[in-house]
Amino acid sequence: AAPLLACLQAIREPSKLRVLVLAGIRIDGTRDETAVLLRGLRAFTGLSAVALRFSVPSTFGALLPLRMLLELRRSWGKVGHFALGEMSLHGFDYWPEQVTDFQQLYPHGQVPEPSEVFANEFRHVLAAQYGTNAVLQWSRLQASDQAFWAGVARMLPDMPHSEVRHRVTQLFPSSL
């Protein structure tokens, strides 16, 4: 974990990094080193796509206090779709074709309630790793924290469904 953290800390302007994908790697080190690495990811506030698949010594629940996990998520305001696994996290500013899309997560087809978004992002991890539930944790959030998920909720219905098309449109607005 320490060498990877050193590499990430060497990035001069972490807020300008847009995509971070660490896949197929094994992060060796102590639980504390891995937790420091995860905390360090908060500096990358400009991320619009993040995919981290770790083989770590522990799950998120053992590595980070819940407050820190939520703070990590809130540091990525450009990420709309966000999902946590046992030892992975994925966030995108588009709907990845291989995952559940907006209509499946929010069948009512409207802008979801912020609490719905929060629950979809954290329901499993809260229950499995933190021994709590999304409804209780939502009720404990400050209004400013709930406002973050309100912003994500407004972003979700209009997110593109194809990364390639989305990136081409960003780079060459008149091409599509």
Side-chain angles (χ1 to χ4, degrees):
L4 179 56
L5 179 60
C7 289
L8 292 172
Q9 288 174 333
I11 296 172
R12 288 189 194 136
E13 295 184 60
S15 63
K16 290 188 175 182
L17 188 68
R18 299 264 322 206
V19 177
L20 178 64
V21 177
L22 302 173
I25 63 170
R26 179 172 177 79
I27 297 178
D28 293 322
T30 66
R31 194 170 91 179
D32 291 340
E33 290 172 335
T34 305
V36 168
L37 170 67
L38 289 170
R39 285 184 183 107
L41 294 175
R42 291 177 299 163
F44 297 91
T45 57
L47 290 177
S48 58
V50 57
L52 306 174
R53 295 181 191 101
F54 300 123
S55 181
V56 295
S58 301
T59 62
F60 290 111
L63 293 169
L64 296 175
L66 178 56
R67 177 187 53 78
M68 185 65 61
L69 181 63
L70 297 177
E71 196 175 298
L72 179 63
R73 169 59 177 116
R74 286 190 309 269
S75 68
W76 300 328
K78 295 178 182 168
V79 168
H81 174 73
F82 184 75
L84 287 166
E86 293 297 316
M87 292 179 278
S88 67
L89 59 87
H90 305 272
F92 307 98
D93 64 347
Y94 61 92
W95 288 103
E97 294 172 13
Q98 70 275 18
V99 300
T100 304
D101 73 1
F102 179 79
Q103 292 300 325
Q104 291 171 311
L105 285 173
Y106 308 102
H108 52 71
Q110 300 170 4
V111 173
E113 291 296 320
S115 59
E116 274 184 286
V117 176
F118 178 82
N120 278 331
E121 290 183 354
F122 290 99
R123 179 181 295 111
H124 174 72
V125 167
L126 289 173
Q129 297 182 26
Y130 290 92
T132 186
N133 65 65
V135 173
L136 176 62
Q137 292 307 313
W138 178 258
S139 71
R140 292 180 174 173
L141 291 177
Q142 299 291 320
S144 60
D145 296 331
Q146 290 182 358
F148 170 83
W149 276 279
V152 172
R154 287 188 300 273
M155 181 188 337
L156 290 174
D158 297 324
M159 286 189 340
H161 289 271
S162 167
E163 180 183 18
V164 173
R165 186 175 187 86
H166 179 56
R167 300 294 177 221
V168 168
T169 302
Q170 283 181 325
L171 293 171
F172 310 102
S174 63
S175 67
L176 295 175

